[in-house]
Amino acid sequence: TGGAGFVGSHLTDKLMMDGHEVTVVDNFFTGRKRNVEHWIGHENFELINHDVVEPLYIEVDQIYHLASPASPPNYMYNPIKTLKTNTIGTLNMLGLAKRVGARLLLASTSEVYGDPEVHPQNEDYWGHVNPIGPRACYDEGKRVAETMCYAYMKQEGVEVRVARIFNTFGPRMHMNDGRVVSNFILQALQGEPLTVYGPGTQTRAFQYVSDLVNGLVALMNSNVSSPVNLGNPEEHTILEFAQLIKKLVGDGSEIQFLSEAQDDPQKRKPDIRKAKLLLGWEPVVPLEEGLNKAIHYFRKELEYQANNQYIPKPKPARMKKGRTRHN
């Protein structure tokens, strides 16, 4: 589910390359057909335009449940939809897993830890989340999705895997998804100031998307049923990050400081000892290499948009029954 999204489409690529039959289920709320169109027509690939809030009846062996808006502007734009996707959508997918005897991997998030009081965050930490804040529809949606997985495991014997995903970036990210990497790259490429919220001392740990995808596949095919952090433990402040992107894009953008965002976590760093020990997984793509790939992608996207922009011409107002009407 969510297979036409940023992470989902890269996961689709890997599973297709490994020779699996892949069914992508997406309602294109934030996913895009362009992300998977290169597989359309392949005999092992199927694309279903479907919202997981409605039940789905298909035959599968494994379910990677990635459906959910994942960036703050997207999930805050429609908090109720985000909640429904993470709750009813997850119940529907667990119901499907139960019916067909499939294994389900939930793409959970480091946001289940909220603004953490423990650093770095390990899987035993219960989190520090504001249940009524602007990010709660996502944070609490994912927390209850995890709860549902373990209820289905305990009561119905469904095999579940839970990945707590930390900040990830790479090609096919939404240009305007409001996350820090895409914001900075886009601002630098367009010669605009790089906007840092607060003092820029907040830390984040960024992993490249191919590392995450390898982690998801390793987790799905492992015997680890408890939650596992997937992220890069290399921590950077937001300000360092802005300076690095400025250097890589190579233009004269300034860094501009704005007031802090509400409930913005101050620290984020995964403890990945469990993934290393049980999955033999750790990130391998260096930050600069990944950023260069992302910058290259955004450059091309900006060109694509400039060339494929349909600009409607305003129609002249016409008179009807004595009043002006603007179409």
Side-chain angles (χ1 to χ4, degrees):
T1 71
F6 159 48
V7 173
S9 63
H10 286 282
L11 176 60
T12 299
D13 288 352
K14 178 166 173 60
L15 295 172
M16 285 295 293
M17 300 290 271
D18 289 350
H20 296 285
E21 290 184 13
V22 180
T23 302
V24 164
V25 175
D26 208 300
N27 69 340
F28 307 107
F29 179 60
T30 54
R32 291 183 296 184
K33 280 202 182 94
R34 274 179 60 209
N35 290 342
V36 291
E37 67 183 355
H38 48 286
W39 294 116
I40 292 172
H42 192 290
E43 61 179 8
N44 286 349
F45 179 79
E46 188 174 359
L47 177 61
I48 303 177
N49 186 339
H50 179 87
D51 188 333
V52 293
V53 171
E54 306 297 330
L56 181 67
Y57 301 98
I58 55 174
E59 294 289 323
V60 289
D61 306 305
Q62 295 185 334
I63 302 165
Y64 286 90
H65 181 38
L66 280 74
S68 169
S71 68
N74 284 329
Y75 57 68
M76 292 179 195
Y77 166 74
N78 197 335
I80 294 169
K81 183 74 186 161
T82 301
L83 274 168
K84 282 183 171 175
T85 302
N86 280 306
T87 53
I88 303 166
T90 301
L91 279 176
N92 282 334
M93 289 305 115
L94 285 161
L96 171 62
K98 178 188 155 188
R99 277 197 306 273
V100 300
R103 179 180 290 182
L104 179 136
L105 181 147
L106 172 71
S108 187
T109 171
S110 60
E111 297 296 331
V112 298
Y113 300 125
D115 189 359
E117 296 156 310
V118 168
H119 193 72
Q121 295 82 54
N122 67 25
E123 291 86 352
D124 297 330
Y125 177 52
W126 290 356
H128 176 229
V129 174
N130 175 0
I132 57 170
R135 305 165 77 109
C137 59
Y138 183 68
D139 303 3
E140 296 289 20
K142 289 293 190 189
R143 283 165 72 96
V144 79
E146 289 194 12
T147 308
M148 289 169 173
C149 285
Y150 293 110
Y152 265 77
M153 180 171 93
K154 194 173 171 190
Q155 191 176 323
E156 305 292 348
V158 173
E159 287 189 30
V160 298
R161 304 288 179 263
V162 172
R164 289 182 179 159
I165 299 170
F166 283 70
N167 291 40
T168 307
F169 72 96
R172 300 183 194 153
M173 278 185 97
H174 258 283
M175 304 247 292
N176 53 353
D177 79 352
R179 281 186 274 200
V180 64
V181 180
S182 45
N183 270 4
F184 285 166
I185 294 177
L186 212 52
Q187 288 166 339
L189 286 172
Q190 295 178 312
E192 294 169 3
L194 275 60
T195 50
V196 171
Y197 293 91
T201 51
Q202 315 92 302
T203 66
R204 295 290 183 271
F206 296 94
Q207 70 183 333
Y208 189 65
V209 65
S210 61
D211 282 333
L212 170 61
V213 164
N214 291 335
L216 291 174
V217 173
L219 177 60
M220 173 65 97
N221 297 307
S222 74
N223 295 320
V224 185
S225 58
S226 53
V228 178
N229 286 341
L230 294 177
N232 191 335
E234 200 183 291
E235 201 179 3
H236 295 274
T237 68
I238 297 289
L239 186 56
E240 283 169 4
F241 212 72
Q243 288 161 340
L244 178 58
I245 287 176
K246 191 177 148 159
K247 184 187 93 179
L248 292 176
V249 172
D251 87 324
S253 289
E254 319 208 317
I255 293 175
Q256 188 179 29
F257 293 91
L258 302 175
S259 54
E260 254 174 276
Q262 189 185 340
D263 291 344
D264 190 20
Q266 292 305 300
K267 286 191 177 298
R268 264 283 177 274
K269 179 182 177 175
D271 179 333
I272 60 165
R273 285 177 298 182
K274 188 171 175 181
K276 275 185 174 174
L277 185 68
L278 300 180
L279 307 178
W281 175 89
E282 61 180 315
V284 295
V285 179
L287 182 62
E288 284 203 18
E289 185 186 315
L291 281 175
N292 278 323
K293 287 181 179 171
I295 290 166
H296 176 72
Y297 170 78
F298 277 108
R299 260 205 185 98
K300 296 198 91 106
E301 273 299 278
L302 285 170
E303 285 169 22
Y304 176 87
Q305 285 197 353
N307 297 335
N308 291 279
Q309 205 93 48
Y310 167 67
I311 299 165
K313 293 192 173 78
K315 290 179 184 170
R318 67 170 195 264
M319 302 301 286
K320 187 176 180 188
K321 291 186 182 164
R323 64 198 171 115
T324 309
R325 189 163 146 199
H326 295 280
N327 283 344

